[in-house]
Amino acid sequence: MSNDLIIVKQLPVIEDQLRQVKENIENRVQFALSLACTEETYKEVKRERAALAKEYKALEDRRKEVKNAILAPYLKFEELYKSCAGDIYADADAKLKKRINDVEDGIKKEKFDEIHSYFLEYCKSKDVDFITFKDTGINVTMSDSKKSLKERCAAFVDRITEELALIETQEHKEEILVEYKKSLNVAQAITNVSARHRAIEEERQRREALELEKANRIESQKKVEAVMESVAKEIEIPEPVTAPMEAATKTSTDETVFST
């Protein structure tokens, strides 16, 4: 399509004297900035600032007017462009995109169904029943061939079977398998179970040590009590004999009676 359909016949021409007034503006600003701002002069500084602001606002208003004047023809052209060409192209593109997507979605669904069925059959042939197609991380796209997708499925399932075989050689294989099914990470599963059993063994040894310490403490206490009991028996003081004293008292009494 020829570019001659859209031609800018005349660029906007803006008559301005900005370059000529630049020196005057700079002088006005320089004068205002040179004023000393004190309690005696700040009102004059305020007047100069207000004057500069007024001049600036006038120029800004004019700039906006020029901008709108320049944009007006373009906005009118843009509206015409959209109605005559842009919107027509955009609408056609959206409709064609939807038609293409519908066809591609159908192709991808058909491809996905075939690959998914292959995955399930391959899992069954390997006696693997705890993984899903989602676990493979495979995204079926238009660019992927069915052959490559099937190869990726087979490689994933083969890895699972190899790791299951490795788990069978491990101590605590049942626990490792439970962990493995959660993450499909054999190294992590083995590490987790080993760490758990190591912690259990350490706890068992700690408890046994505490029980032994308690038993030794009780035995030592019994020995101390036995020694103390033996010592107490050795230093026991015999009770005083009272019978001879009673006899002497009786004899003295009898003598008193006879003397009377």
Side-chain angles (χ1 to χ4, degrees):
M1 183 176 293
S2 174
N3 291 330
D4 294 339
L5 288 176
I6 301 176
I7 301 175
V8 179
K9 293 185 177 180
Q10 181 179 357
L11 291 173
V13 178
I14 304 174
E15 295 292 340
D16 65 77
Q17 297 179 345
L18 288 178
R19 294 186 182 277
Q20 298 178 19
V21 301
K22 178 181 179 182
E23 183 177 355
N24 181 49
I25 294 173
E26 288 178 341
N27 290 336
R28 293 273 292 109
V29 170
Q30 190 63 35
F31 171 74
L33 294 176
S34 67
L35 294 175
C37 190
T38 65
E39 292 183 3
E40 291 76 16
T41 63
Y42 81 93
K43 290 184 179 180
E44 181 182 357
V45 175
K46 286 180 67 175
R47 284 193 296 270
E48 285 296 325
R49 179 172 178 264
L52 290 176
K54 183 178 180 181
E55 293 173 6
Y56 177 61
K57 183 178 183 304
L59 284 175
E60 275 292 288
D61 291 342
R62 181 56 184 155
R63 180 189 64 80
K64 293 175 183 178
E65 291 176 3
V66 172
K67 178 181 177 181
N68 292 334
I70 295 173
L71 287 178
Y74 172 77
L75 294 175
K76 187 175 181 180
F77 155 76
E78 186 177 46
E79 183 179 355
L80 179 64
Y81 167 78
K82 287 183 177 180
S83 63
C84 293
D87 291 345
I88 298 174
Y89 277 117
D91 181 64
D93 182 70
K95 291 178 179 178
L96 292 173
K97 183 176 184 297
K98 184 179 183 306
R99 293 175 185 177
I100 294 170
N101 288 344
D102 289 343
V103 173
E104 289 185 343
D105 288 344
I107 295 173
K108 286 192 290 186
K109 184 180 184 307
E110 180 183 355
K111 187 186 296 186
F112 174 84
D113 291 342
E114 181 176 339
I115 301 304
H116 185 247
S117 296
Y118 173 81
F119 169 78
L120 295 177
E121 288 296 326
Y122 198 76
C123 285
K124 186 176 181 180
S125 69
K126 295 291 184 176
D127 293 326
V128 177
D129 60 358
F130 59 89
I131 59 175
T132 65
F133 184 78
K134 184 178 179 180
D135 293 327
T136 66
I138 296 175
N139 182 29
V140 178
T141 65
M142 290 294 296
S143 59
D144 293 317
S145 67
K146 293 180 180 179
K147 181 176 180 295
S148 66
L149 291 171
K150 289 179 180 180
E151 288 175 349
R152 290 168 62 186
C153 286
F156 179 80
V157 177
D158 289 342
R159 178 178 69 82
I160 297 296
T161 56
E162 291 173 2
E163 292 176 348
L164 290 175
L166 173 62
I167 291 173
E168 282 295 317
T169 66
Q170 302 295 311
E171 186 180 7
H172 315 301
K173 60 184 180 181
E174 291 81 6
E175 292 182 54
I176 294 175
L177 181 58
V178 171
E179 290 289 329
Y180 177 70
K181 287 182 178 181
K182 296 177 183 178
S183 63
L184 300 183
N185 186 322
V186 67
Q188 180 182 339
I190 293 174
T191 300
N192 289 347
V193 172
S194 298
R196 182 186 305 133
H197 279 273
R198 184 165 56 252
I200 292 173
E201 178 61 20
E202 290 174 355
E203 179 63 20
R204 184 188 65 78
Q205 293 178 4
R206 187 185 71 83
R207 286 182 174 273
E208 288 182 354
L210 289 175
E211 291 295 331
L212 180 60
E213 181 182 353
K214 181 179 179 181
N216 290 337
R217 187 168 60 251
I218 293 174
E219 183 66 23
S220 298
Q221 186 176 354
K222 288 181 178 180
K223 289 181 179 180
V224 170
E225 291 175 353
V227 171
M228 292 180 65
E229 184 178 354
S230 175
V231 171
K233 288 181 179 180
E234 291 178 0
I235 64 175
E236 184 178 7
I237 301 175
E239 296 182 2
V241 180
T242 57
M245 293 180 64
E246 291 178 357
T249 303
K250 183 177 181 182
T251 303
S252 175
T253 303
D254 292 342
E255 290 177 354
T256 303
V257 172
F258 287 126
S259 63
T260 302

